[in-house]
Amino acid sequence: NAGVTQTPKFQVLKTGQSMTLQCAQDMNHNSMYWYRQDPGMGLRLIYYSASEGTTDKGEVPNGYNVSRLNKREFSLRLESAAPSQTSVYFCACNRDRSYEQYFGPGTRLTVT
Amino acid sequence: KNEVEQSPQNLTAQEGEFITINCSYSVGISALHWLQQHPGGGIVSLFMLSSGKKKHGRLIATINIQEKHSSLHITASHPRDSAVYICAVIGGNQFYFGTGTSLTVIP
């Protein structure tokens, strides 16, 4: 049982480049989330998905897109990276009727 | 505005000390979640509670719904407890996260 996995662990992008952060869970949970964590701020929700095929915006969705193609995988795409998107990104999931979240190891992204 | 406030922001303790981290919130909640973030960055769940008190090993979490306040206690602290402790509340199907308390336990 890997739990929640994220790839890559580290990434450096130039301004304007695009990339996709991958997240997969083997816990059979319906709900999945993407957060960003910045110094001095709490985790902020970018997008979430309550089930396969559905996605909703969170607190800070601008500059991001997501895709929930199946129950296991929830990807986050940056179409044109900006320095303001330098952050640590966490994927999380929780099972139905439970608010206890399980987090991936994070992706540290730097945009220069 | 911050729906969740934690105190202190930083805490240094000697090994063996009793530690308390506080969390106050301003929204109506369904549950409160204490998380631990290790120096390497990984985040793990410690407790999920909606009333009363929970204990796991040397960690104790309490919540007072009327006062909108929760505390995380660590008894007999150890250097391996050094981490950032994050309080999160769930209200109206939304998650609100505190900025964390950075704990350093010195041998």
Side-chain angles (χ1 to χ4, degrees):
Chain A
N1 247 4
V4 183
T5 58
Q6 289 183 236
T7 55
K9 283 191 170 44
F10 301 94
Q11 184 72 48
V12 179
L13 292 178
K14 289 186 171 23
T15 297
Q17 287 186 317
S18 62
M19 79 160 294
T20 299
L21 282 65
Q22 305 285 356
C23 173
Q25 51 101 359
D26 60 4
M27 307 171 86
N28 203 34
H29 291 172
N30 278 315
S31 298
M32 297 185 73
Y33 307 79
W34 275 107
Y35 295 97
R36 60 178 288 171
Q37 185 179 44
D38 301 293
M41 305 184 78
L43 289 158
R44 292 185 293 168
L45 182 65
I46 305 171
Y47 271 93
Y48 69 98
S49 169
S51 62
E52 180 182 342
T54 69
T55 61
D56 285 286
K57 294 179 181 179
E59 182 185 353
V60 288
N62 291 345
Y64 305 95
N65 285 302
V66 290
S67 179
R68 181 86 182 269
L69 293 176
N70 54 57
K71 193 170 187 177
R72 287 189 68 247
E73 296 169 302
F74 188 35
S75 60
L76 178 72
R77 182 157 179 86
L78 287 72
E79 289 292 351
S80 179
S84 61
Q85 293 178 305
T86 293
S87 189
V88 181
Y89 291 85
F90 287 96
C91 176
C93 64
N94 63 266
R95 62 177 179 270
D96 293 348
R97 293 181 293 280
S98 168
Y99 297 112
E100 185 168 11
Q101 295 205 311
Y102 300 87
F103 287 83
T107 294
R108 189 172 294 272
L109 174 67
T110 303
V111 183
T112 60
Chain B
K1 66 176 166 65
N2 292 327
E3 288 84 359
V4 181
E5 299 277 359
Q6 288 185 237
S7 63
Q9 283 190 317
N10 297 285
L11 181 55
T12 300
Q14 290 291 133
E15 183 173 356
E17 282 186 10
F18 180 85
I19 287 161
T20 296
I21 298 169
N22 297 298
C23 175
S24 296
Y25 52 92
S26 58
V27 295
I29 69 167
S30 308
L32 184 143
H33 202 175
W34 279 104
L35 302 158
Q36 180 190 54
Q37 185 168 24
H38 295 289
I43 300 174
V44 297
S45 172
L46 295 176
F47 294 104
M48 175 73 71
L49 65 168
S50 54
S51 64
K53 176 173 151 177
K54 284 192 176 179
K55 184 175 189 290
H56 181 70
R58 295 179 296 106
L59 273 60
I60 303 165
T62 64
I63 188 169
N64 185 319
I65 297 293
Q66 285 74 30
E67 294 187 4
K68 294 189 173 178
H69 181 268
S70 175
S71 292
L72 177 68
H73 305 287
I74 305 175
T75 62
S77 59
H78 190 277
R80 65 175 175 266
D81 297 325
S82 297
V84 175
Y85 292 84
I86 300 170
C87 172
V89 301
I90 300 90
N93 285 332
Q94 285 195 71
F95 289 84
Y96 304 92
F97 292 86
T99 55
T101 294
S102 179
L103 170 65
T104 302
V105 181
I106 300 169

